[in-house]
Amino acid sequence: MVEYPDAEILPVRAETQKNAKNPEKAYEKEADEGKRQEKETTQYTGILSEEFCTSCLNMPEEQRKSMILEIQQIAERILKAHGVINAPEELLKGEWFLKLQKPEFEKKLVLAKSGEEIFIGFYIYPEEAPVPDPNFVLLSQYGFWYPQRMEEKFEETVASFFTGAYGDYDFLNIVPESVEKFQAFQREFAKKLEDQGWDGPDVEVVEKIMPED
């Protein structure tokens, strides 16, 4: 059983209601924070309102990039390159799964959505169950992905969790030091995926499940 370090319980619903009343003001605030790395924790752990986030899916690409994690940016490029999605709003259609392999790599890259969770990571496939090395799990809300945990073989670092029922955002708990670690690690991982060219033509699609409406 995972033991969680000291966590901060955020009043998420009150914040989202405030944003929903004035989405333009909320957008200006979030876009400004996206330009400053020292405020990344606020940027990536505050769950935004449905009205606000739906409008963000249709904003210009450069503006939207300033508001999302680097790992989401590269994941969307990979998903588009291999025909899983054509536009960001298709992230909301349902569950999807993509397993990729490159000739010179032993590990396979998996990108998947199951329920509200996004999985992005390398997996090794011994005789038993696949082993993450590493895998990032993110919480998906209205097309925006937020840090949840990192899985490294048989260890994990928890960045956020629910004290009550899963999805009860009144009691979404944030572990600030783990979020900071998650953000640094995901940035390095996104750069690695970009440098390795997982959106390129030499990548083999091992398995693909398309999202449904």
Side-chain angles (χ1 to χ4, degrees), residues 42-53:
T42 301
Q43 180 186 356
Y44 296 130
T45 58
I47 306 298
L48 304 177
S49 71
E50 180 176 7
E51 178 183 353
F52 173 57
C53 289

Side-chain angles (χ1 to χ4, degrees), residues 25 39 57 63 79 111 121 124 127 169 183 187 203 208:
K25 184 176 180 181
K39 292 193 176 181
L57 289 172
Q63 291 179 329
L79 292 169
L111 301 90
I124 54 177
E127 295 181 0
Y169 295 103
Q183 290 176 8
R187 190 177 299 111
V203 177
K208 179 168 70 173

Side-chain angles (χ1 to χ4, degrees):
M1 182 175 180
V2 177
E3 293 184 1
Y4 299 116
D6 291 340
E8 178 182 354
I9 301 177
L10 299 185
V12 176
R13 187 165 298 172
E15 181 65 24
T16 58
Q17 289 173 346
K18 181 177 67 176
N19 287 341
K21 292 178 182 178
N22 194 342
E24 292 183 1
K25 184 176 180 181
Y27 166 70
E28 292 174 0
K29 177 182 177 182
E30 290 294 327
D32 183 59
E33 287 176 349
K35 298 176 183 178
R36 299 194 300 269
Q37 289 188 359
E38 65 268 22
K39 292 193 176 181
E40 283 178 339
T41 300
T42 301
Q43 180 186 356
Y44 296 130
T45 58
I47 306 298
L48 304 177
S49 71
E50 180 176 7
E51 178 183 353
F52 173 57
C53 289
T54 301
S55 66
C56 289
L57 289 172
N58 300 315
M59 69 172 54
E61 182 178 358
E62 287 304 313
Q63 291 179 329
R64 186 168 178 272
K65 281 174 62 177
S66 70
M67 301 177 63
I68 62 177
L69 290 164
E70 289 84 355
I71 196 170
Q72 181 171 354
Q73 295 178 32
I74 186 63
E76 289 182 7
R77 282 171 48 188
I78 294 171
L79 292 169
K80 288 179 182 178
H82 299 292
V84 177
I85 64 170
N86 295 309
E89 54 266 27
E90 295 183 10
L91 294 168
L92 305 180
K93 281 188 173 182
E95 299 186 347
W96 37 264
F97 181 88
L98 181 64
K99 183 191 293 184
L100 304 173
Q101 186 170 22
K102 288 174 69 73
E104 66 271 29
F105 288 86
E106 177 185 2
K107 301 177 186 178
K108 294 179 176 64
L109 177 64
V110 173
L111 301 90
K113 179 183 179 186
S114 178
E116 295 182 341
E117 289 187 327
I118 302 291
F119 302 86
I120 306 171
F122 286 127
Y123 284 82
I124 54 177
Y125 287 81
E127 295 181 0
E128 297 82 17
V131 178
D133 188 27
N135 178 53
F136 295 82
V137 184
L138 302 104
L139 179 65
S140 173
Q141 280 291 295
Y142 313 123
F144 283 74
W145 303 348
Y146 303 90
Q148 192 157 53
R149 67 183 183 273
M150 291 184 297
E151 301 171 340
E152 302 175 71
K153 293 187 176 178
F154 302 105
E155 299 180 358
E156 69 175 27
T157 300
V158 176
S160 66
F161 61 97
F162 296 96
T163 53
Y166 189 90
D168 185 350
Y169 295 103
D170 274 339
F171 299 99
L172 175 64
N173 291 248
I174 306 300
V175 185
E177 59 270 26
S178 296
V179 170
E180 183 178 354
K181 179 180 179 181
F182 187 107
Q183 290 176 8
F185 199 5
Q186 65 83 29
R187 190 177 299 111
E188 294 175 4
F189 190 76
K191 185 65 166 59
K192 178 184 293 186
L193 296 182
E194 183 177 24
D195 291 344
Q196 292 174 350
W198 286 93
D199 57 343
D202 63 327
V203 177
E204 176 189 354
V205 177
V206 179
E207 186 176 354
K208 179 168 70 173
I209 300 175
M210 304 290 288
E212 298 179 358
D213 291 332

